[in-house]
């Protein structure tokens, strides 16, 4: 940290040399009517190349030459621009309230200016407006952030209905998912069919696929940064909805008007409640999940602000059986809990700091309880998971319009539970408790600078030093980052980036689809940290009159020390949890390499009556493990040669919104048997393929050498809005898989006996979702 603050001091001194010639305009940008801070508002001087954007907490700072008259424009997507003229003879504190204008007309959009893709030094970064996410049709009408991100180029979906994402060839655990600074380890409900992020509580969503700024680290493939709303400081408001499988409600309002506010958002499914009347009294079961987002904040003035936010969610399968006087109950549950306490402090008009105390926990649990008529009982509880306690400190230093410096550090104490089992048996009066905890400390210090040495050139250069300690083993890893953008024309830029990343926590998975039974484990003296290097080049073009942005990128990523199970190995045995603690996970894994490369195209429009995007990806992903596939390279399961997504949202009128998506993707790569042979050399009929099931040995060829049929699907939706005296009512009708394409969920080999007694082996496909209609009722007040 000494190096970082020395650099800040030197740069600050450079700015002070010109203090007599320059002054700083700084402040916060908020939404008018709610005082919600706005992220990424563009602040610029018309007719010049001088501009900045607000940070995560709505703060901006511009240092300009002293002048009798300075014009600033504040512009943000979905809000009416604000223009201010002022005298700059001294430092100015200027807070701005922007008026929401969700129904911008085409004539109004002409004067609207958002941050252009050709102006940013960063590349491989996509933000999707939350309002747009809510208009996109999804499965059973559940608005799903992760499903929308799957529609972006470079982001692959797993299998049908799966909310896990695979970014530029990476696995689900290589995505850093952050909610208000807290890491979320499992981002899905219902074994991956729905994500846990409730759009009603979100303010912003940003996906970074490459060219990572130095402030991010700990994963190889992507960063998904989500920020919750702060809560309305001026008025009490609510929003909610009732759908086919769940209902949701969000409430927000002031605790002290203009200074403090709260936000509470909840969602729960109720299929279990609806099914109860149809179940046998001697045997009941069900499933549900719930989410709860909460946030409190207090504004102590221009210098200090305090935020407290949390997320709590759980999935639960349960059953109860009765037989005579014996009773058995059990279930599986898993869930996340996060909590973040953040303190913003403004040292001066150029130096902004945030301190965060963070808690995060993910836990998977299997429980079984048996009660007998003689009073004895047996209880078993098996669980695994990961828990974090972290501190994070970040500073934004804005000495002049040419430099935007970020620096900070983070330290996280991890406690891994690869295996924990508790058994209580009253019959033998015995309690066994075998808890396997592994502790580790992950830390990092970073500095980055977005530097504009000339009007047509922007650079983002940074260095992150990461460290991981567990047991007697310490890893120190430097992670250099560099991104550059050169404007050939004001609306056309060529970009390039390089990033090195390291990952110290790993997810062991047999399935590769991010099930809750997957196991989080740390780097050890036997398992090295995963590492990657990624380079990318591209073009960014803004079509200003049409409000379109086009990006074209090519990338190459090399990954080392990626891990997976050895052939036939497993760790998490749901059907036999007592034996799980006997397995040493390090002995069951192997490490290898990965290569991912491809080209991505995105044409996007965020404003106007018609918005949406078209994305296309051409990519290759190969893996190589010494102990798998005879040491030869093979295509990853979710290697997808072609991936296309088309998304459109059309505001037909103030009362009607139409939306639709169409996706196409090359089929997943899987392994299938190519032959059988007998393990019994004495079987006289083995040469003719006539042997018993016990003699049969399946022979597989190269790993993942078979392609499933291509995946494609269309979803359509329509929303009907109506203003009521109390607020707004919305009916939404949608069709998932509108032309009922039978997309493969999995494929298997089966034996069918013909009339002649011969065995015919056939491939069969299981499709999961046909056309699925849904209807929901939503409201705002």
């Amino acid at each position: 940290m000494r190096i970082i603050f020395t650099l800040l001091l030197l740069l600050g001194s450079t700015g002070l040399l010109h203090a007599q010639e320059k002054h700083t305009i700084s402040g916060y940008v908020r939404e008018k009517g709610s005082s919600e801070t706005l992220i990424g508002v563009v602040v610029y001087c018309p007719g010049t190349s001088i501009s900045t954007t607000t940070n995560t907490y709505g703060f901006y700072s511009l240092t300009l030459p002293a002048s009798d008259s300075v014009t600033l424009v504040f512009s943000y997507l979905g809000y009416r621009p604000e223009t201010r003229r002022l005298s700059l003879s001294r430092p100015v504190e200027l807070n701005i309230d922007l008026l929401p204008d969700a129904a911008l007309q085409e004539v109004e959009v002409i004067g609207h200016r958002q941050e252009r893709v050709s102006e940013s030094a960063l590349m491989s970064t996509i933000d999707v407006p939350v309002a747009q996410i809510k208009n996109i049709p999804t499965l059973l009408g559940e608005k799903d952030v992760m499903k929308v991100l799957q529609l972006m180029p470079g982001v692959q979906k797993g299998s049908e209905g799966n909310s896990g994402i695979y970014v530029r060839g990476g696995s689900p655990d290589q995505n850093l998912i952050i909610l208000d600074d807290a890491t979320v380890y499992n981002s899905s409900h219902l074994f991956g069919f729905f994500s846990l992020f409730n759009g009603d509580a979100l303010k912003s969503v940003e996906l970074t696929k490459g060219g990572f700024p130095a402030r991010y680290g700990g994963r190889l493939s992507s960063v998904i940064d989500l920020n919750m709303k702060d809560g309305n400081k001026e008025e009490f408001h609510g929003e909610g909805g009732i759908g086919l499988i769940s209902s949701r409600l969000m409430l927000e309002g002031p605790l002290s008007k203009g200074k403090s506010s709260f936000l509470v958002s909840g969602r729960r499914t109720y299929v279990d409640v609806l099914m109860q009347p149809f179940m046998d009294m001697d045997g009941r079961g069900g499933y549900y999940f719930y989410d709860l987002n909460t946030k409190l904040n207090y504004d102590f003035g221009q210098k200090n602000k305090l935020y407290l936010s949390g997320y709590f969610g759980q999935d639960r399968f349960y059953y109860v059986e009765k037989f005579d006087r014996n009773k058995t109950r059990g279930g599986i549950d898993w869930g996340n809990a996060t909590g973040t306490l953040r303190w913003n402090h403004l040292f001066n008009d150029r130096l902004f700091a945030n301190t965060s105390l963070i808690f995060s926990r993910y836990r998977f649990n299997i429980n079984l309880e048996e009660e007998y008529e003689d009073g004895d009982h047996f209880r078993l509880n098996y669980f695994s998971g990961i828990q974090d306690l972290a501190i994070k400190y970040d500073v934004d230093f804005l000495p002049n319009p040419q430099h935007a410096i970020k620096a900070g550090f983070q330290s996280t104490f991890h406690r891994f539970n690869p295996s924990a089992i508790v058994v209580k048996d009253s019959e033998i009066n015995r309690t066994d408790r075998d808890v396997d905890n592994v502790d580790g400390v992950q830390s990092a210090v970073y500095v980055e600078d977005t530097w504009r040495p000339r009007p047509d050139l922007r650079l983002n250069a940074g260095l992150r030093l990461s460290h991981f300690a567990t047991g007697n083993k310490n890893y120190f890893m430097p992670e250099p980052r560099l991104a550059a953008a050169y404007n050939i024309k004001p609306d056309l830029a060529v970009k390039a980036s390089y990033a090195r990343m390291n990952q110290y926590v790993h997810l062991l998975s047999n399935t590769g689809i991010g099930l809750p039974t997957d196991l989080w484990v740390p780097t050890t003296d036997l398992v090295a940290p995963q590492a990657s290097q990624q380079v990318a080049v591209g073009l960014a073009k803004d079509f200003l009159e049409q409000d379109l942005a086009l990006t074209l990128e090519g990338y190459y990523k090399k990954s080392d020390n990626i891990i997976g199970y050895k052939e036939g190995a497993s760790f998490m045995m749901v059907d036999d949890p007592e034996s799980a603690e006997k397995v040493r996970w390090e002995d069951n894994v192997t490490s290898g390499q990965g290569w991912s490369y491809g080209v991505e195209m995105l044409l996007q429009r965020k404003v106007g009556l018609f918005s949406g995007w078209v994305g296309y990806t051409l990519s290759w992903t190969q893996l190589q493990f010494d102990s798998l596939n005879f040491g030869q390279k093979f295509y990853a399961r979710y290697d997808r040669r072609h991936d296309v997504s088309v998304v459109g949202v059309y505001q037909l009128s103030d009362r009607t919104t139409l939306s639709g998506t169409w996706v196409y993707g090359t089929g997943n790569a899987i392994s299938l048997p190519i032959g059988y042979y007998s393990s019994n050399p004495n079987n006289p009929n083995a040469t003719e393929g006539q042997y018993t099931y016990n003699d049969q040995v399946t022979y597989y060829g190269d790993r993942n050498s078979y392609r499933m049929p291509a995946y494609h699907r269309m979803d359509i939706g329509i929303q009907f809005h109506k203003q009521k005296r109390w607020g707004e009512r919305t009916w939404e009708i949608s069709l998932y898989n509108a032309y009922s394409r039978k997309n493969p969920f999995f494929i298997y080999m089966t034996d069918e006996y013909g009339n002649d007694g011969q065995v015919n082996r056939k491939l069969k496909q299981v499709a999961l979702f046909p056309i699925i209609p849904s209807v929901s009722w939503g409201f705002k007040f």
Side-chain angles (χ1 to χ4, degrees), residues 21 123 129 341 419 428 755:
E21 301 175 357
M123 63 185 303
L341 177 64
S419 172
I428 59 176
N755 295 330

Side-chain angles (χ1 to χ4, degrees), residues 485-497:
Y486 175 72
N487 281 87
I488 302 171
K489 298 194 301 183
D491 58 359
L492 176 63
V494 58
K495 298 188 177 187
S497 67

Side-chain angles (χ1 to χ4, degrees), residues 346-547:
L346 189 62
F347 286 99
N348 55 53
D349 52 14
R350 302 183 194 181
L351 185 60
F352 178 95
N354 178 73
T355 305
S356 298
L357 300 177
I358 305 162
F359 167 81
S360 180
R361 184 188 68 197
Y362 170 70
R363 186 163 173 171
F364 170 78
N365 184 67
I366 303 172
N367 61 83
L368 173 66
E369 183 176 352
E370 296 178 348
E371 297 179 0
Y372 308 109
E373 58 181 346
D374 59 3
D376 290 333
H377 63 268
F378 172 83
R379 294 177 184 174
L380 180 146
N381 186 33
Y382 176 84
F383 63 91
S384 69
I386 181 173
Q387 180 172 298
D388 292 349
L389 294 173
I391 183 170
K392 185 171 180 280
Y393 184 75
D394 303 285
V395 295
D396 291 1
F397 181 53
L398 304 159
N400 53 57
Q402 284 72 46
H403 289 278
I405 300 168
K406 295 180 182 289
F409 71 89
Q410 180 175 3
S411 186
T412 304
F413 172 78
H414 298 288
R415 170 154 287 180
F416 299 86
N417 301 122
S419 172
I421 187 166
V422 178
V423 178
K424 297 181 179 179
D425 194 333
S426 64
E427 186 176 2
I428 59 176
N429 193 26
R430 177 180 171 184
T431 298
D432 293 330
R433 181 178 178 86
D434 189 348
V435 179
D436 180 18
N437 289 332
V438 180
D439 296 337
V441 177
Q442 181 177 343
S443 303
V445 59
Y446 76 90
V447 61
E448 66 176 84
D449 183 14
T450 300
W451 177 34
R452 192 167 191 174
R454 44 187 285 179
D456 56 1
L457 179 63
R458 292 189 186 220
L459 301 171
N460 179 275
L463 177 64
R464 184 181 183 92
L465 299 175
S466 61
H467 166 249
F468 188 81
T470 180
N472 297 320
K473 189 67 174 179
N474 285 273
Y475 293 92
F476 292 91
M477 299 288 185
E479 301 176 12
R481 316 285 175 80
L482 179 63
Y486 175 72
N487 281 87
I488 302 171
K489 298 194 301 183
D491 58 359
L492 176 63
V494 58
K495 298 188 177 187
S497 67
Y498 167 82
R500 180 177 179 85
M501 307 289 281
N502 292 286
Q503 181 167 333
Y504 301 101
V505 297
H506 321 285
L507 186 67
L508 292 180
S509 173
N510 282 111
T511 62
I513 61 174
L515 294 183
T517 52
D518 295 341
L519 185 69
W520 286 98
V521 294
T523 291
T524 67
D525 54 347
L526 299 178
V527 178
Q530 300 180 59
S532 73
Q533 297 185 76
Q534 183 179 162
V535 294
V537 294
L539 291 172
K541 167 70 174 174
D542 289 291
F543 299 91
L544 302 179
E545 293 185 1
Q546 294 81 21
D547 292 295

Side-chain angles (χ1 to χ4, degrees), residues 471-762:
N472 297 320
K473 189 67 174 179
N474 285 273
Y475 293 92
F476 292 91
M477 299 288 185
E479 301 176 12
R481 316 285 175 80
L482 179 63
Y486 175 72
N487 281 87
I488 302 171
K489 298 194 301 183
D491 58 359
L492 176 63
V494 58
K495 298 188 177 187
S497 67
Y498 167 82
R500 180 177 179 85
M501 307 289 281
N502 292 286
Q503 181 167 333
Y504 301 101
V505 297
H506 321 285
L507 186 67
L508 292 180
S509 173
N510 282 111
T511 62
I513 61 174
L515 294 183
T517 52
D518 295 341
L519 185 69
W520 286 98
V521 294
T523 291
T524 67
D525 54 347
L526 299 178
V527 178
Q530 300 180 59
S532 73
Q533 297 185 76
Q534 183 179 162
V535 294
V537 294
L539 291 172
K541 167 70 174 174
D542 289 291
F543 299 91
L544 302 179
E545 293 185 1
Q546 294 81 21
D547 292 295
L548 290 171
L550 173 67
T551 58
L552 181 65
E553 295 184 9
Y555 68 91
Y556 177 86
K557 182 171 69 174
K558 171 67 165 58
S559 301
D560 296 300
N561 302 323
I562 57 177
I563 65 173
Y565 279 118
K566 295 178 181 178
E567 292 283 9
S570 181
F571 181 83
M572 184 73 70
M573 288 169 268
V574 177
D575 56 343
D576 187 14
E578 286 189 81
S579 63
E581 91 280 3
K582 301 174 184 177
V583 181
R584 190 168 183 239
W585 68 266
E586 293 161 299
D587 297 330
N588 270 346
V589 300
T590 182
S591 62
Q593 308 173 77
W595 296 265
S596 299
Y597 49 93
V599 178
E600 301 167 1
M601 184 276 292
L602 175 65
L603 180 65
Q604 188 175 22
R605 191 173 197 257
K606 298 181 182 179
V607 298
L609 298 179
F610 181 77
S611 62
W613 65 86
V614 177
Y616 171 72
T617 305
L618 172 67
S619 63
W620 291 261
T621 300
Q622 289 182 300
L623 306 174
Q624 187 271 322
F625 296 85
D626 291 341
S627 60
L628 300 178
N629 200 45
F630 304 102
Q632 301 298 310
K633 287 184 180 180
F634 59 91
Y635 288 110
R637 175 177 175 84
Y638 297 111
D639 167 75
R640 186 164 294 170
R641 197 69 62 246
H642 303 282
D643 189 84
V644 181
S645 59
V646 181
V647 179
V649 178
Y650 182 58
Q651 190 74 36
L652 187 63
S653 67
D654 291 342
R655 301 184 60 175
T656 308
T657 303
L658 301 175
S659 60
T661 65
W662 183 78
V663 296
Y664 172 90
T666 301
N668 294 334
I670 61 174
S671 299
L672 287 176
I674 62 173
Y676 300 89
Y677 62 89
S678 174
S679 62
N680 182 5
N682 298 320
N683 185 345
N685 299 319
T687 57
E688 301 176 9
Q690 298 178 9
Y691 38 82
T692 66
Y693 178 81
N694 293 331
D695 292 339
Q696 177 178 297
V697 177
T698 303
Y699 172 69
Y700 291 84
D702 291 340
R703 193 180 184 96
N704 293 347
S705 58
Y706 180 82
R707 287 282 178 181
M708 297 171 71
Y711 181 98
H712 55 89
R713 186 191 81 240
M714 177 180 284
D715 307 331
I716 57 176
I718 184 170
Q719 294 180 346
F720 300 100
H721 311 276
K722 187 173 183 180
Q723 294 296 325
K724 298 284 190 175
R725 287 181 300 173
W726 47 264
E728 180 182 325
R729 179 270 296 158
T730 300
W731 280 102
E732 179 173 2
I733 302 171
S734 64
L735 291 176
Y736 179 89
N737 194 7
Y739 52 80
S740 202
R741 159 76 174 176
K742 293 183 178 179
N743 287 301
F745 184 60
F746 66 87
I747 290 177
Y748 65 97
M749 186 83 71
T750 184
D751 292 343
E752 293 185 357
Y753 293 90
N755 295 330
D756 56 0
Q758 294 295 319
V759 177
N760 299 314
R761 293 189 172 89
K762 293 185 177 181

